[in-house]
Amino acid sequence: MTINFNKYENGLVPAIIQDYSTKTVLMLGYMNQEAYYKTQETNHVTFFSRSKNRLWTKGESSGNFLELINMKVDCDQDALLISVNPKGPTCHTGSDSCWNETNSSNYGFISKLERVIADRRENQNEESSYVASLFKGGINKIAQKVGEEAVEVVIEAKDENDTLFLNESADLLFHYLILLQAKGFTIKDVEAILKARQK
């Protein structure tokens, strides 16, 4: 990996810090060549502080280190994307990120769907809502529906119609997300179990 530290007069390149697991952008700092080498050597992200005019390892006073996972250089060789495992809040204000965002897993459309399910659960008086009607029916009804959808997925998996298989898979996932919330969980809890099993 070649980085052009000489492109700018001050010898610094921007370093974008991103959580390796959640992909949340945590902060922006600057590195010179010395900071880059120290980061590699210690596995703790180190910057060149323009205000202190010295090397500065994030967490050196707070203990909230940024544990290095990997570093990538951009196409112009003058910016870094650094993936980290943050050991505590990143921002000096105590926030997870310098943009005051919560650093949590986001599953795109699945997360949006979970929020819709949660809203339907809280507003079960909506008679037109299928999801609300499932919650009204209780855990047995929801679990039964998941079982039915699982059987349909298995049946379609044995056939050659990919469209039907994918549609039944979508139905199964949708009802499973409902079951998770009926039990007081979300997909994030399942992710935590899978991560714990990873060796």
Side-chain angles (χ1 to χ4, degrees):
M1 178 167 63
T2 304
I3 306 165
N4 187 358
F5 288 103
N6 298 317
K7 186 166 185 176
Y8 305 107
E9 286 185 19
N10 58 13
L12 301 177
V13 297
I16 301 161
I17 309 302
Q18 183 180 45
D19 187 296
Y20 177 74
S21 297
T22 67
K23 306 306 177 192
T24 300
V25 174
L26 302 175
M27 67 172 288
L28 170 69
Y30 292 88
M31 283 187 171
N32 60 9
Q33 197 164 25
E34 189 180 359
Y36 171 75
Y37 287 136
K38 185 171 181 183
T39 296
Q40 286 188 313
E41 179 186 327
T42 64
N43 280 329
H44 288 153
V45 178
T46 298
F47 303 98
F48 183 84
S49 170
R50 295 171 299 170
S51 58
K52 299 172 184 174
N53 197 33
R54 65 169 177 85
L55 291 187
W56 165 67
T57 299
K58 175 70 182 83
E60 64 186 22
S61 56
S62 67
N64 298 327
F65 293 101
L66 297 171
E67 185 179 87
L68 176 67
I69 303 296
N70 62 52
M71 289 193 275
K72 297 176 184 175
V73 65
D74 77 339
C75 57
D76 292 325
Q77 299 178 314
D78 61 0
L80 289 164
L81 177 61
I82 302 177
S83 296
V84 302
N85 178 21
K87 301 298 184 181
T90 299
C91 186
H92 71 280
T93 64
S95 177
D96 286 351
S97 83
C98 290
W99 288 270
N100 199 29
E101 292 181 327
T102 301
N103 184 19
S104 60
S105 295
N106 186 315
Y107 309 98
F109 178 75
I110 297 296
S111 293
K112 181 179 178 181
L113 188 56
E114 284 192 312
R115 289 192 293 273
V116 171
I117 292 169
D119 179 67
R120 298 294 189 272
R121 183 182 187 188
E122 292 170 13
N123 299 290
Q124 292 182 30
N125 294 329
E126 294 182 26
E127 294 187 14
S128 61
S129 169
Y130 170 71
V131 174
S133 72
L134 284 177
F135 280 117
K136 279 183 185 178
I139 192 74
N140 288 343
K141 183 176 180 180
I142 298 169
Q144 179 183 348
K145 193 63 182 169
V146 171
E148 290 171 5
E149 297 299 342
V151 169
E152 289 175 13
V153 167
V154 171
I155 291 169
E156 294 304 334
K158 294 182 176 185
D159 291 335
E160 299 299 322
N161 190 324
D162 292 344
T163 300
L164 285 177
F165 170 71
L166 288 173
N167 273 282
E168 294 299 345
S169 297
D171 288 345
L172 174 58
L173 178 56
F174 176 67
H175 287 91
Y176 177 62
L177 292 174
I178 295 171
L179 180 61
L180 278 173
Q181 291 203 29
K183 296 289 290 180
F185 301 109
T186 67
I187 201 73
K188 185 177 180 181
D189 298 297
V190 178
E191 180 196 44
I193 298 294
L194 293 172
K195 281 183 174 179
R197 291 179 182 175
Q198 191 177 22
K199 295 180 180 179

